[in-house]
Amino acid sequence: MKNASVWHRLPLPDGEVPVLLTRRSRQSIGIKVSGGVVELIAAPGVSQQRLHQVLQQRYDWIVGHVLRQRSHLEAGEQLSSLALLGEQLTIRLTGGARKAARRVSGELLVAGVADGDAAALKAVLAKFLKREAATLFPGRLSLLAAHCRRKPSGLLLSSARTRWGSCSADGRIRLNWRLAQAPLAVVDYVTAHELAHLEHMNHSPAFWAETERLCPGWRDARRWLRQHGGGLFVLD
């Protein structure tokens, strides 16, 4: 963090985290989270207003990574449960050679993974969540998009570590597969957020009014993400 200085203190659900500012010649604004410290990397000409705007736009991601780093599993520690749409499923290893996971009542039965092989277990669980996301997200998008004037041109799953979702200029929406762990209301909020960008490619009052129209409970869902989003990176 050469040439970095404490520029701001960002409020988190459980306190504050220092934000360092590094001025360096580059085209985009970079963000790093390490050791409980946030670092902004920006060109000398980027204004203070723009830097604060980026912090606000990336707040959920920053909080998620700070919390994830604080609660990161020790190497080799084995997961005992996994959330699916907000419900904790108990992980139970079963026999079999083919690596697979399936839900049975309140359990997630995992085959083909040896006890203690944390890396293999995480890989199987990530594949399971991606499959669940690919099944769930299109239906939620269609349901909400039915109330939009402009329709999305497509849906893709995202593995981004900086965003829960995104909307491109051509109307293509991406949703982070890790959201399959969150309550359905949170999935709908992120979906509505990106659909609102079809009309407003910014975070203006008009954008938030459109988000409110599509998802009246978005504030509670956003609050949940800020408080618990870090836990959605448990498989990383």
Side-chain angles (χ1 to χ4, degrees), residues 60-75:
D60 292 348
W61 177 83
I62 292 171
V63 172
H65 275 260
V66 171
L67 296 179
R68 179 172 66 89
Q69 288 180 9
R70 289 177 181 175
S71 62
H72 190 65
L73 292 173
E74 296 294 331

Side-chain angles (χ1 to χ4, degrees), residues 7 29 31 40 47-59 202-204:
W7 167 73
I29 299 175
I31 303 179
L40 279 180
S47 68
Q48 299 282 316
Q49 180 181 5
R50 177 54 182 157
L51 292 172
H52 280 289
Q53 183 182 43
V54 169
L55 273 185
Q56 180 63 32
Q57 291 174 348
R58 295 289 181 266
Y59 181 85
N202 51 47
H203 289 91
S204 63

Side-chain angles (χ1 to χ4, degrees), residues 1 11 13 33 38 46 57 60 83 86 89 99 106 113 121 123-124 149 155 171 175 179 181 221:
M1 296 184 183
V33 179
V38 178
V46 177
Q57 291 174 348
D60 292 348
L89 303 177
K99 293 182 173 64
V113 175
L121 177 59
V124 171
R149 182 183 64 84
L155 171 66
L175 297 175
L179 287 168
Q181 300 166 86

Side-chain angles (χ1 to χ4, degrees), residues 2-201:
K2 186 178 180 180
N3 300 324
S5 59
V6 177
W7 167 73
H8 181 64
R9 292 192 178 275
L10 188 67
L12 267 64
D14 59 352
E16 294 182 338
V17 60
V19 180
L20 307 184
L21 176 59
T22 300
R23 292 293 190 175
R24 184 189 308 161
S25 179
R26 56 177 292 155
Q27 292 185 339
S28 60
I29 299 175
I31 303 179
K32 294 182 180 179
V33 179
S34 179
V37 175
V38 178
E39 182 185 13
L40 279 180
I41 307 169
V46 177
S47 68
Q48 299 282 316
Q49 180 181 5
R50 177 54 182 157
L51 292 172
H52 280 289
Q53 183 182 43
V54 169
L55 273 185
Q56 180 63 32
Q57 291 174 348
R58 295 289 181 266
Y59 181 85
D60 292 348
W61 177 83
I62 292 171
V63 172
H65 275 260
V66 171
L67 296 179
R68 179 172 66 89
Q69 288 180 9
R70 289 177 181 175
S71 62
H72 190 65
L73 292 173
E74 296 294 331
E77 183 178 346
Q78 190 122 312
L79 290 168
S80 60
S81 67
L82 182 74
L84 179 63
L85 292 180
E87 178 188 354
Q88 287 292 331
L89 303 177
T90 300
I91 296 171
R92 181 158 64 88
L93 302 183
T94 65
R98 180 175 175 271
K99 293 182 173 64
R102 62 189 177 94
R103 178 183 181 179
V104 177
S105 187
E107 289 188 320
L108 196 56
L109 306 184
V110 179
V113 175
D115 189 15
D117 192 344
L121 177 59
K122 288 183 177 182
V124 171
L125 296 178
K127 184 177 180 179
F128 168 79
L129 284 178
K130 290 175 183 178
R131 186 174 70 244
E132 292 294 317
T135 300
L136 172 69
F137 291 177
R140 304 312 296 179
L141 180 65
S142 296
L143 184 66
L144 291 170
H147 303 286
C148 297
R149 182 183 64 84
R150 184 183 173 193
K151 308 301 181 184
S153 61
L155 171 66
L156 296 172
L157 292 186
S158 165
S159 296
R161 299 176 63 85
T162 60
R163 296 182 178 183
W164 295 118
S166 65
C167 177
S168 61
D170 64 0
R172 192 176 301 274
I173 286 177
R174 289 175 170 81
L175 297 175
N176 199 310
W177 59 266
R178 298 175 184 86
L179 287 168
Q181 300 166 86
L184 186 60
V186 175
V187 175
D188 285 348
Y189 156 61
V190 176
T191 303
H193 183 112
E194 302 312 327
L195 285 171
H197 278 312
L198 293 174
E199 294 287 344
H200 309 282
M201 292 297 286

